Amino acid sequence: MDVSAQLRHAPQAAESGPDFSELIAELHRGLPAHCVLSRVEEKKPFECDGLTLFKEMPGVVVLPENEEQIIHVLKTCKKMGVPVVPRGAGTGLSGGATPHSQGVLLGVSKLNKIRHIDPQAATAIVEPGVRNLAVSEAAAAYGLYYAPDPSSQIACSIGGNVAENAGGVHCLKYGLTVHNVIRLRIVTIDGDILELGADAPDAPGLNLLPVFIGSEGMLGIVTEVKVKLIPKPQLARVIMASFASVEAAGEAVKNIIGSGIIPAGLEMMDKRATHMVEPFVKAGYDLDAEAILLCESDGTETEVEDEIVRMEKVFSDCGATRLQTSSSEEERLRFWAGRKNAFPAAGRISPDYYCMDGTIPKSQLAYVLNEMVKMEAKYQLGCANVFHAGDGNLHPLILFDANDPDSVRRAEDFGADILELCIKVGGTVTGEHGVGLEKINQMCSQFTREELDAFTALKKAFDPDMLLNPTKQIPTLNRCAEYGRMHVHGGQIAFPDIERF
């Protein structure tokens, strides 16, 4: 099944749907009129997230301004059996915030206050609509910052980061969102308040905090997040290492980690990516290299100088054709600006791009990149690779034309093949963008039905009626059968009695 068909095949509410006039009247009892959007022109901006291949007009859009209003929305939808799709800033890239045509799209962008920064404890309490970068900007006065830094950090919100377990170029050393969140306050579909996590190192009962982070809005709505802040390092320098082949660059990634060095960031860009970015940002990239690595060290001046020497030796031993180390903070930021602006730079050379997200063992980097070159020929589409090499999180940018249906189909098939390849080499279908609707078919390949049923049971523990972000992330048995992925265990095909399509 192609990607664009997934919404058509996803189970929806009864065709007649709820009585929107009655629903709107109920919503108005707890929200100001300007927080409930029902006209087509008001709802149009919310029809998709950053993955524009999926579009669906929501039944109603609500933009609550506080927790009390969120509770009213959820209680109303629970009573009326109306699906609810949470939405942050809408920068997600897996269709996780694609609306439900018979439901409510609940945006949290108006909950955008930084409530408290504690410089002694190095923590911040923020609302879900606060932009990622705004946290670091506010903490800078205390010499602190928030480590997870997705490329969309200027726009993406903390609530969305929690939903997708977002990462960024510095997650190799400092961790993903799950490693930097201390406590969450959430509202369940019943309108109840839950607090997950604790200020102490441990808390009584089951640790549900990491269960909720990355759950893509399927378990509850976040209203408050307490995050860790870390001291801004005294010094940071980045090496730009050039290589004559992706194999050599992949070997260098493996050897850096194998030598016991954990860089603050370790990113790879292939030749197509550097040629795409350099005219846009003028970062000073080596355009003759088949691949470049950006490898950062941070800490005290002594620590950085020692680590830079060790890193340069590893790169030289792996055949680096050029090594350039930032000599100033301005140059360091310019090197990273190219990496962080790779996605918008794609618009200079292609009408559209499709950003994939899969994770593979670092030892398989060269093999997977070379297989993607073969896929470019197979699908007659270009692909630029720019990704988190240090933890094997790939972000291939498939270049296509959304105005050409055949180009769209080839892009979708190309993306599906990349995800299947990630699974084949021992990786996963997502690293930080989530599953949403985009990767729901590949979940049938990644997991057994028993595992998927366990995911469903967990969701039902929070949301028995399956109203929160339905049809996302967890594929149905029928979908897996139609996708045709038949897992074989001990020579036996699972569920042999199911009709295969």
Side-chain angles (χ1 to χ4, degrees):
M1 186 189 304
D2 64 59
V3 174
S4 61
Q6 292 184 25
L7 280 177
R8 298 194 298 273
H9 289 263
Q12 301 285 333
E15 191 169 326
S16 59
D19 182 345
F20 284 146
S21 61
E22 181 183 351
L23 171 63
I24 291 168
E26 285 289 330
L27 292 170
H28 278 156
R29 289 189 174 93
L31 284 81
H34 65 270
C35 293
V36 181
L37 312 180
S38 58
R39 297 197 303 271
V40 171
E41 63 270 22
E42 294 175 320
K43 299 186 295 180
K44 184 71 172 176
F46 300 92
E47 66 180 353
C48 66
D49 60 11
L51 181 58
T52 57
L53 287 172
F54 298 132
K55 293 182 179 179
E56 186 73 58
M57 190 68 72
V60 181
V61 174
V62 295
L63 301 174
E65 298 170 328
N66 54 51
E67 184 180 84
E68 184 180 353
Q69 292 175 8
I70 290 177
I71 291 171
H72 175 75
V73 172
L74 292 178
K75 283 186 173 180
T76 297
C77 291
K78 171 77 172 183
K79 180 176 68 174
M80 300 183 70
V82 176
V84 181
V85 176
R87 177 187 170 101
T91 59
L93 292 169
S94 64
T98 306
H100 194 293
S101 63
Q102 304 298 320
V104 167
L105 184 82
L106 193 162
V108 298
S109 57
K110 291 186 176 182
L111 280 75
N112 58 7
K113 297 180 180 64
I114 297 176
R115 294 182 178 173
H116 181 63
I117 293 179
D118 184 339
Q120 279 72 45
T123 61
I125 298 175
V126 305
E127 293 182 339
V130 172
R131 293 180 303 111
N132 176 289
L133 187 58
V135 180
S136 291
E137 290 172 341
Y142 307 102
L144 302 169
Y145 74 106
Y146 181 60
D149 57 344
S151 294
S152 59
Q153 67 178 150
I154 193 172
C156 67
S157 61
I158 293 296
N161 291 174
V162 168
E164 305 296 342
N165 191 22
V169 299
H170 290 98
C171 67
L172 177 61
K173 183 173 182 178
Y174 296 108
L176 300 160
T177 299
V178 70
H179 305 111
N180 289 276
V181 169
I182 299 168
R183 180 167 48 79
L184 292 175
R185 182 178 172 93
I186 69 171
V187 183
T188 70
I189 188 64
D190 297 305
D192 296 330
I193 301 295
L194 290 181
E195 295 223 356
L196 306 180
D199 294 332
D202 200 0
L206 297 175
N207 183 9
L208 296 176
L209 182 65
V211 172
F212 192 91
I213 296 172
S215 61
E216 303 188 33
M218 299 175 67
L219 305 182
I221 308 295
V222 176
T223 60
E224 181 180 282
V225 186
K226 186 171 186 177
V227 301
K228 298 177 185 176
L229 302 174
I230 62 174
K232 188 174 181 180
Q234 293 180 19
L235 178 68
R237 299 178 69 192
V238 62
I239 301 171
M240 180 177 69
S242 305
F243 295 90
S245 68
V246 294
E247 289 87 356
E251 187 70 14
V253 170
K254 186 172 65 173
N255 288 356
I256 281 284
I257 304 299
S259 68
I261 301 172
I262 304 298
L266 180 54
E267 304 284 304
M268 183 187 290
M269 300 174 70
D270 67 9
K271 193 170 189 175
R272 187 190 296 272
T274 56
H275 278 253
M276 179 177 74
V277 169
E278 183 61 22
F280 182 57
V281 178
K282 296 180 173 56
Y285 291 159
D286 181 355
L287 299 182
D288 294 324
E290 290 300 318
I292 68 168
L293 294 177
L294 296 176
C295 186
E296 182 163 287
S297 172
D298 66 6
T300 66
E301 186 171 350
T302 301
E303 289 170 337
V304 170
E305 292 301 326
D306 176 67
E307 201 166 62
I308 288 290
V309 169
R310 293 168 62 202
M311 289 173 172
E312 289 178 337
K313 183 177 188 310
V314 171
F315 290 146
S316 295
D317 290 346
C318 290
T321 57
R322 173 178 160 188
L323 292 175
Q324 182 177 343
T325 303
S326 62
S327 57
S328 66
E329 179 67 2
E330 180 184 21
E331 187 174 36
R332 183 186 76 88
L333 293 175
R334 189 166 66 247
F335 283 172
W336 282 124
R339 163 62 184 90
K340 285 180 172 285
N341 285 282
F343 295 179
R348 295 172 61 91
I349 64 170
S350 176
D352 299 278
Y353 68 87
Y354 182 17
C355 178
M356 301 303 300
D357 167 52
T359 302
I360 62 171
K362 291 182 285 292
S363 61
Q364 298 294 321
L365 277 174
Y367 170 74
V368 168
L369 291 174
N370 283 325
E371 286 298 300
M372 283 196 279
V373 171
K374 297 176 185 176
M375 292 180 195
E376 288 186 76
K378 175 181 177 182
Y379 294 107
Q380 292 297 293
L381 293 172
C383 180
N385 283 286
V386 47
F387 57 92
H388 310 309
D391 55 10
N393 185 193
L394 304 178
H395 291 315
L397 299 176
I398 299 170
L399 309 175
F400 74 106
D401 184 354
N403 295 311
D404 177 358
D406 183 62
S407 179
V408 173
R409 178 192 60 78
R410 285 181 283 123
E412 293 171 341
D413 291 345
F414 193 164
D417 264 9
I418 290 173
L419 295 177
E420 293 289 345
L421 178 61
C422 289
I423 297 170
K424 174 186 171 183
V425 300
T428 65
V429 297
T430 183
E432 58 174 339
H433 291 179
V435 175
L437 285 169
E438 176 198 33
K439 306 183 183 80
I440 197 166
N441 282 340
Q442 282 71 40
M443 290 288 283
C444 302
S445 299
Q446 178 88 58
F447 298 102
T448 66
R449 189 66 241 172
E450 291 84 358
E451 290 168 325
L452 294 172
D453 287 344
F455 298 162
T456 301
L458 175 62
K459 174 170 172 54
K460 286 186 174 181
F462 283 84
D463 178 21
D465 297 329
M466 307 286 277
L467 293 175
L468 284 170
N469 218 4
T471 76
K472 310 282 177 62
Q473 196 179 59
I474 307 172
T476 63
L477 183 60
N478 286 341
R479 177 182 288 277
C480 288
E482 187 169 350
Y483 188 52
R485 301 307 182 195
M486 298 176 290
H487 293 276
V488 178
H489 300 282
Q492 298 296 316
I493 296 175
F495 310 102
D497 298 327
I498 296 175
E499 182 180 0
R500 308 290 173 177
F501 296 90

